[in-house]
Amino acid sequence: MAKTGPVGVAFIGAGNISKQYLDNLTTFPDVKVLVVADLFEEAAAARAAEYGIEVSGGVDAALNHPDVEIIVNLTIPAAHVEVATAAVRAGKHVWTEKPFSLDRDSGLGLLKEAQAAGVRLGCAPDTFLGAGLQTARRLIDAGEIGTPLTALTMFQSPGPESWHPNPAFLFQQGAGPLFDMAPYYLTALVQAFGPIAKVAAVGSTAFPTRTVGSGPKEGEVFDVEVPTHVSAIAQFESGASSHSVYSFESPKARMGFVEITGTEGTISLPDPNNFDGEIKLCKRGEEDWTAIAAEGPADGRGLGVLDMARAIRAGVPHRATGELAYHVLDAMVSITESVDSGEFVTVASTAPASEPVPVDWNPTAATL
Ligand SMILES: NC(=O)c1ccc[n+]([C@@H]2O[C@H](COP(=O)([O-])OP(=O)(O)OC[C@H]3O[C@@H](n4cnc5c(N)ncnc54)[C@H](O)[C@@H]3O)[C@@H](O)[C@H]2O)c1
C-alpha cells in the first residue's frame, strides 16, 4: 500500500552544512527527520541531540531504518556517489549535496542504478527553487528581456580556508571554485537557457598549498590539487552563450553576479547561492535598473528535499533532479577537460526542464 503522511528522512553527514538543513527540515511538517548518521558516530550523536532527533549512529542506522524514505547525503564530495549508491541499494530515495559525482562514469552509474531500482535522485543546489531565482524566471518567462541570448557570471573570493574549519576537501578533486561554486551558477544558467552544448575554459593555480584559518586545525597547511581560478565560456543548445569566472584567488570578494541579456533587456539575478534577493531589470532604451522584490518561499537549504517529498506522495516529478545535476557535472568535467586540452569540449548530456515553483508554495504548511 502506498505510504501516506509526512515523509521520513535520514541524514548521512553531520558536518558544517547539516545545521542549515536541520534548521529547515525540522520545521517543515511534510517531512520528519528520523535519523542523523555519520562516519563519526559522536558527530552524528551531537548533531542529533541539538535537534532532539532520537536516532543517531553510523551509516547503517540511516539505511536500515524502516520508516526512512529519503536519505539526505551531506557527506564530502568524494563520498557522494558511494553513499548515494548504498542508499539506492537500500531502496531509499536520495537527496545528495553537490557536486552530483566527481566524474561522468560514477554519476551515470548512479543514475542507472536509481532508475533500475525505481527510486528518485535529487541533488543540490535547490537555491533555484527559492524566491529570488524563481521571480527572475517568471520575469524571463513573461518575456521581460525578450529572447535570452547571453550571460555574464562572476564568483571570486580569497577562498573558503579562512572560515571553514575543515577546508582541505574544498581544494581537492570534486571541489575548487569550479566544482564547489559552479553548480549554483550553471544550474541558474541552464534554467534560463536550457541545456549546455559545449564549453571552453582556461584555469590556473596561484598557490600550491593553503593554510587552515579557523577552528581546531588553524595553522595546518594542506595541498591544493585543483585549479583555483577558472574562466569558462559555454554555448547552449539554444545558441545562447555565457562567460563565467570561478575563483578562490581574489583578495576582493565579488560573488553572486549573474546578468542575463536578451533581445529586449538585461536582468540581474540575485546570488544563485541564496534563496532570496533583489532582481534588477534594465529594458532596452532605459539607462537605469528597476529593482523588483523577490516573491515566493525563501526558507533555505532543504526546499529541494521537501519538493521531492511532496512529489513522492503526489506521484509527480520533483524539480531538482539527478539528471539536471548530472548535466551540470558533465559541463564541469568538460570545463576541466578544456582547461587541460585548450580545446572546446562537447557536453553530451542534456537536462530536463523543471516546473516553475508556484509563488504561494508554502514549505511550512502541512499538506500530506
Ligand atoms: N559548508 C557549506 O557552506 C556548504 C554549502 C553548500 C553545500 N555544501 C556541500 O555539503 C557537503 C558537505 O559539506 P560540509 O561543509 O558540511 O562538510 P564537512 O566536512 O563539514 O561535513 C561532512 C561530513 O560527512 C561525513 N562523512 C564523510 N564521508 C562519509 C561517509 N563515507 N559516510 C558517512 N559520513 C561521511 C564527515 O565525517 C563529516 O561529518 C559538501 O558536498 C559541500 O559541497 C557545503
Side-chain angles (χ1 to χ4, degrees):
M1 208 175 69
K3 289 196 178 179
T4 55
V7 175
V9 168
F11 279 53
I12 300 181
N16 198 56
I17 203 63
S18 65
K19 270 184 79 64
Q20 275 187 40
Y21 272 90
L22 279 161
D23 282 345
N24 292 322
L25 290 180
T26 54
T27 60
F28 298 162
D30 284 348
V31 295
K32 185 155 179 49
V33 182
L34 298 169
V35 184
V36 178
D38 198 287
L39 213 49
F40 297 101
E41 296 191 19
E42 323 79 69
R47 198 57 104 215
E50 266 178 71
Y51 290 87
I53 290 147
E54 282 174 23
V55 183
S56 71
V59 171
D60 285 346
L63 299 185
N64 295 338
H65 194 296
D67 297 328
V68 166
E69 294 173 69
I70 301 177
I71 297 288
V72 176
N73 175 12
L74 306 182
T75 58
I76 55 170
H80 285 175
V81 169
E82 176 198 327
V83 169
T85 304
V88 166
R89 290 179 184 169
K92 311 292 190 191
H93 306 291
V94 185
W95 173 269
T96 199
E97 250 303 334
K98 50 77 188 165
F100 186 65
S101 60
L102 300 193
D103 55 64
R104 295 191 190 96
D105 282 353
S106 65
L108 275 177
L110 176 57
L111 284 178
K112 280 190 190 136
E113 278 220 32
Q115 196 178 22
V119 295
R120 295 176 188 241
L121 291 174
C123 185
D126 53 0
T127 43
F128 79 92
L129 306 181
L133 294 185
Q134 286 289 321
T135 302
R137 175 180 175 166
R138 281 192 288 276
L139 292 163
I140 294 171
D141 288 351
E144 290 287 345
I145 63 164
T147 305
L149 294 177
T150 62
L152 266 178
T153 81
M154 179 161 53
F155 170 92
Q156 56 178 38
S157 80
E161 75 276 23
S162 58
W163 60 268
H164 198 293
N166 208 8
F169 82 86
L170 290 165
F171 294 83
Q172 293 166 357
Q173 298 304 327
L178 179 66
F179 279 70
D180 191 43
M181 296 311 298
Y184 300 108
Y185 293 81
L186 291 175
T187 303
L189 292 176
V190 169
Q191 295 303 305
F193 293 129
I196 298 165
K198 64 178 181 178
V199 295
V202 290
S204 52
T205 305
F207 312 106
T209 60
R210 298 253 179 158
T211 306
V212 181
S214 67
K217 296 186 176 172
E218 185 173 349
E220 274 184 27
V221 175
F222 58 88
D223 289 336
V224 173
E225 296 178 5
V226 291
T228 43
H229 183 99
V230 174
S231 177
I233 57 174
Q235 186 162 53
F236 296 78
E237 285 174 13
S238 67
S241 63
S242 64
H243 190 171
S244 300
V245 169
Y246 306 106
S247 184
F248 283 166
E249 293 187 359
S250 170
K252 182 89 188 102
R254 256 182 307 204
M255 52 188 70
F257 182 95
V258 181
E259 277 183 14
I260 297 176
T261 295
T263 48
E264 305 302 326
T266 296
I267 187 166
S268 165
L269 273 55
D271 188 333
N273 189 9
N274 292 341
F275 290 79
D276 213 344
E278 191 179 75
I279 298 100
K280 290 185 295 182
L281 199 57
C282 181
K283 305 271 261 191
R284 192 164 291 284
E286 296 172 352
E287 277 189 18
D288 292 328
W289 293 108
T290 301
I292 297 166
E295 276 187 285
D299 300 61
R301 290 195 161 81
L303 283 187
V305 178
L306 175 66
D307 176 54
M308 198 178 186
R310 287 178 172 173
I312 288 168
R313 288 287 182 266
V316 299
H318 57 285
R319 293 178 171 86
T321 58
E323 284 79 9
L324 170 60
Y326 177 77
H327 179 61
V328 167
L329 179 275
D330 190 11
M332 296 192 299
V333 172
S334 302
I335 287 170
T336 304
E337 289 171 349
S338 178
V339 168
D340 292 341
S341 70
E343 307 281 340
F344 266 99
V345 177
T346 300
V347 179
S349 62
T350 189
S354 70
E355 285 293 311
V357 177
V359 73
D360 60 354
W361 198 72
N362 182 0
T364 53
T367 71
L368 300 179

